[in-house]
Amino acid sequence: MLELTVFLSGALVMVLEMVGGRVLAPHVGTSAIVWTSLIGVVLACLALGAWAGGRFADKTLSRRGLGQALAGAGLGCGLTAFCHTAVGVGVTQGVGNLYLAAVAAALGIFALPAFFFGMITPYVIRLRIAGVDTAGATVGRLYALSTAGSILGTFLGGFVLISFFGSTAILWGVALCMLLLSLCNAPAKPWPRLLLLALCALLAWQDSLYGQWLAEKSGTRLVESPYNSIRVMDGVDRARDGRAVRLMATDPGYSQSGMLLDAPDELYFDYTRFYALGPRHVPGARTVLMLGGGGYSVPKWLLAGKSGLDAAALRLTVVELDPAMTAASRRWFGLKDDPRLTVRHEDARAFLNRQQERYDLVFVDVFNSHYSVPFQMGTMEAAKELRRAVAPGGALLMNVISAVEGPDGRLFRSIYHALAAAFAEVRVYCVGRPDRPGEVQNLMLLAFPEAGRVSPPAPAPAADPSAAETDVMLSARYAGPVPTDTPALSDDFAPVERYALMLLRR
């Protein structure tokens, strides 16, 4: 039983840590900062728990003491499952700095269960050691079992549990398993722990019912996948005469996709409308590659024939990392099966490295927020692969969240110079405030594989009813030279996220 306890507790603590990233995502996002904070906090609490567990074993060595440590871990997981939303909301509302908020949220949510998990292995070792002559073998065997359990828990949590269960349900499951282990190791006087076990089971059941009720009442749906914590929310847009709108978000404070419920094929966000610059410059485009599907707003707009392209002859390939994002788009954002549409569920960079086809238009929209940047898509090597994917006479459009000028523009300038090294010409359009290029906003980069391309004349209104709007977009072009203070970065040295994180300090 002691060996089994060490193995299972090692597995469950890693399940706790793997699901921790999903628990923190709605409050502080999923960036490297969040994972660094989570891992650091859990390791610190495990170390503190190991120190306390060793001292506790020297003073009170019994199976009852082990049962108390196991029950403490179960109780800590139960409290985490019950309170993590309230703690996360409180921390993010009270702490404005992402670094401090991520550490504080990880501490407030995971410190208690991680501390008790840390106590278990030292206590079991002290119980199992029979003499000095075999102490080394005993310690090595138990640590090996704990590590083997952690390996199993890592794959079980990351590959299986997160794919099929919600994070709160997994936390309740870990709590129940630890309480059962406590009862198995110390069956004497079980009633307090049995009551605690029954209470956790009841709260887990009520939490499931409450989650369903809250989703129905608030109009918010939560979908958890191995890649994202996806929230789908309904509301009204007062700026558009109170029209009903549906939003999709994966990071706190930002929406990645939006849709007007009475016009699902229209482009809702301002920056998505700038993709109309592609059909304007390549009016004969027949093949389109979209890297980053999100809520599939742009693909639906293209397939509906509202871009000015020949929709019947169009062939569209969308590369979206998360299958759950596509499933949510089919369920709530009006995405339908279409023979003209091909969806690939894989990383955009991996797709570019492997594929050989060339496209008339390549659209890139892989940012989740201004601090959640897929750095592998912003390097010189990525720019070369993007250039290889653009057919002669075609064009690339890439959405970047950054400033153009000043210290907040380092992210943009790094990506711009990478594209400029691979393409013959790169133009920049400021979506939000063309008159304030020093402000963080959506920027649309338009790149051509050949030099000497000129802006096309305005099409006839009958051919493109949105021509006037596109003319306004063309007028938002950044006229000044792009500063050269920030170099393009390679895969070997790609701290693109560092430039993005600099924006958070302002």
Side-chain angles (χ1 to χ4, degrees):
M1 178 54 67
L2 291 177
E3 280 76 8
L4 181 62
T5 298
V6 167
F7 179 82
L8 291 179
S9 62
L12 291 171
V13 72
M14 287 310 300
V15 170
L16 176 72
E17 188 166 358
M18 293 301 296
V19 79
R22 193 53 43 81
V23 170
L24 295 175
H27 311 294
V28 289
T30 57
S31 67
I33 294 175
V34 177
W35 277 105
T36 300
S37 303
L38 174 63
I39 294 171
V41 165
V42 170
L43 287 176
C45 293
L46 287 173
L48 186 60
W51 172 81
R55 292 179 63 85
F56 183 46
D58 287 340
K59 293 180 179 179
T60 309
L61 186 64
S62 66
R63 287 297 187 107
R64 182 182 178 186
L66 176 60
Q68 291 173 346
L70 292 165
L75 177 61
C77 289
L79 290 174
T80 295
F82 187 72
C83 301
H84 68 83
T85 300
V87 174
V89 170
V91 168
T92 52
Q93 288 181 350
V95 182
N97 182 279
L98 178 61
Y99 294 87
L100 295 178
V103 173
L107 274 171
I109 296 173
F110 295 104
L112 185 63
F115 173 81
F116 281 106
F117 268 109
M119 295 180 64
I120 296 169
T121 299
Y123 205 100
V124 170
I125 289 174
R126 186 68 177 83
L127 280 171
R128 179 56 78 196
I129 289 179
V132 177
D133 294 340
T134 60
T138 300
V139 172
R141 182 177 71 255
L142 292 175
Y143 269 114
L145 284 170
S146 177
T147 303
S150 295
I151 295 171
L152 174 64
T154 300
F155 286 106
L156 180 66
F159 286 175
V160 180
L161 296 179
I162 290 177
S163 299
F164 293 99
F165 302 98
S167 55
T168 303
I170 297 173
L171 290 172
W172 283 119
V174 173
L176 294 173
C177 288
M178 293 307 295
L179 290 171
L180 287 172
L181 270 178
S182 174
L183 290 169
C184 292
N185 277 276
K189 299 181 180 180
W191 296 112
R193 285 169 290 160
L194 282 173
L195 288 175
L196 185 59
L197 181 68
L199 178 62
C200 284
L202 177 62
L203 289 174
W205 177 67
Q206 286 190 334
D207 188 67
S208 175
L209 295 180
Y210 175 74
Q212 296 177 6
W213 174 82
L214 185 62
E216 294 175 359
K217 184 176 180 62
S218 65
T220 300
R221 300 90 165 174
L222 178 64
V223 178
E224 295 187 349
S225 74
Y227 300 98
N228 290 295
S229 179
I230 304 168
R231 301 184 307 284
V232 178
M233 302 156 287
D234 288 343
V236 296
D237 189 339
R238 293 183 177 87
R240 288 180 169 86
D241 301 323
R243 296 171 70 183
V245 64
R246 181 166 293 163
L247 301 173
M248 177 187 289
T250 57
D251 272 340
Y254 298 88
S255 296
Q256 279 69 44
S257 296
M259 179 185 74
L260 292 167
L261 295 182
D262 59 357
D265 296 330
E266 289 186 12
L267 296 175
Y268 178 69
F269 288 122
D270 290 340
Y271 87 91
T272 58
R273 297 192 185 98
F274 273 70
Y275 283 109
L277 294 176
R280 180 69 175 271
H281 286 84
V282 191
R286 294 294 180 267
T287 56
V288 181
L289 172 64
M290 180 88 193
L291 301 179
Y296 284 75
S297 300
V298 175
K300 289 187 300 179
W301 169 74
L302 288 168
L303 295 173
K306 296 185 176 182
S307 66
L309 299 177
D310 183 359
L314 196 65
R315 295 296 178 266
L316 173 61
T317 300
V318 178
V319 180
E320 167 56 50
L321 177 64
D322 193 351
M325 196 79 76
T326 302
S329 299
R330 294 185 188 278
R331 183 174 182 182
W332 290 300
F333 286 84
L335 178 65
K336 299 178 181 178
D337 292 332
D338 194 302
R340 299 168 294 169
L341 173 65
T342 301
V343 179
R344 306 286 188 190
H345 290 125
E346 58 182 304
D347 182 84
R349 178 65 186 277
F351 173 84
L352 287 173
N353 292 343
R354 189 191 67 256
Q355 72 90 30
Q356 300 298 323
E357 189 174 350
R358 308 185 81 178
Y359 300 86
D360 298 323
L361 288 172
V362 175
F363 294 163
V364 184
D365 190 9
V366 292
F367 276 55
N368 279 337
S369 67
H370 70 270
Y371 62 84
S372 183
V373 181
F375 71 88
Q376 72 276 14
M377 288 299 297
T379 63
M380 292 186 292
E381 291 83 356
K384 292 177 182 178
E385 294 299 329
L386 287 169
R387 168 63 184 87
R388 188 170 60 85
V390 179
L396 165 84
L397 285 104
M398 183 176 189
N399 172 48
V400 177
I401 305 175
S402 177
V404 176
E405 301 173 353
D408 290 345
R410 295 181 181 180
L411 172 63
F412 154 75
R413 292 194 292 272
S414 174
I415 296 175
Y416 173 88
H417 291 307
L419 290 176
F423 287 81
E425 183 181 359
V426 181
R427 301 175 186 175
V428 183
Y429 297 88
C430 298
V431 175
R433 295 299 302 268
D435 57 328
R436 296 184 181 179
E439 289 188 2
V440 176
Q441 57 187 298
N442 287 92
L443 305 173
M444 190 62 69
L445 278 66
L446 175 61
F448 301 107
E450 304 93 5
R453 297 283 289 271
V454 298
S455 297
D464 185 2
S466 63
E469 185 180 10
T470 311
D471 288 338
V472 174
M473 297 175 192
L474 290 171
S475 67
R477 181 179 175 182
Y478 177 72
V482 176
T484 58
D485 60 323
T486 306
L489 300 177
S490 69
D491 289 339
D492 293 333
F493 183 73
V496 176
E497 285 187 327
R498 183 187 68 190
Y499 293 154
L501 296 174
M502 288 179 181
L503 306 179
L504 301 174
R505 300 177 182 174
R506 299 177 64 82

